[in-house]
């Protein structure tokens, strides 16, 4: 990485950490990857059923 790109990389890294913390909090609250990423319609289109229990 070029030295002049360091500040941009630091900001991007911090944003990634914050996003990951948000996902972890959501998982701990009982949400799923399917829910968070709105994958149910995509899976249904492929013939898969999501159990909502």
């Amino acid at each position: 990485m070029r030295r002049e790109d360091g500040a941009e990389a630091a900001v991007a890294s911090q944003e990634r950490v914050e996003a990951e913390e948000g996902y972890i909090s959501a998982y701990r609250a009982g949400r799923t990857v399917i829910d968070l990423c709105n994958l149910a319609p995509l899976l249904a289109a492929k013939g898969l059923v999501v159990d909502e229990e």
Side-chain angles (χ1 to χ4, degrees):
M1 170 173 54
R2 296 180 314 185
R3 182 179 304 232
E4 57 270 13
D5 295 334
E8 184 178 334
V11 169
S13 295
Q14 184 58 41
E15 289 172 351
R16 175 67 185 257
V17 166
E18 291 168 4
E20 293 293 329
E21 288 172 348
Y23 284 123
I24 291 167
S25 294
Y27 297 142
R28 287 184 177 148
R31 299 202 48 204
T32 67
V33 173
I34 293 170
D35 177 37
L36 291 173
C37 296
N38 194 29
L39 295 176
L42 177 64
L43 295 173
K46 294 185 177 289
L48 300 171
V49 178
V50 176
D51 185 5
E52 298 286 335
E53 281 185 37

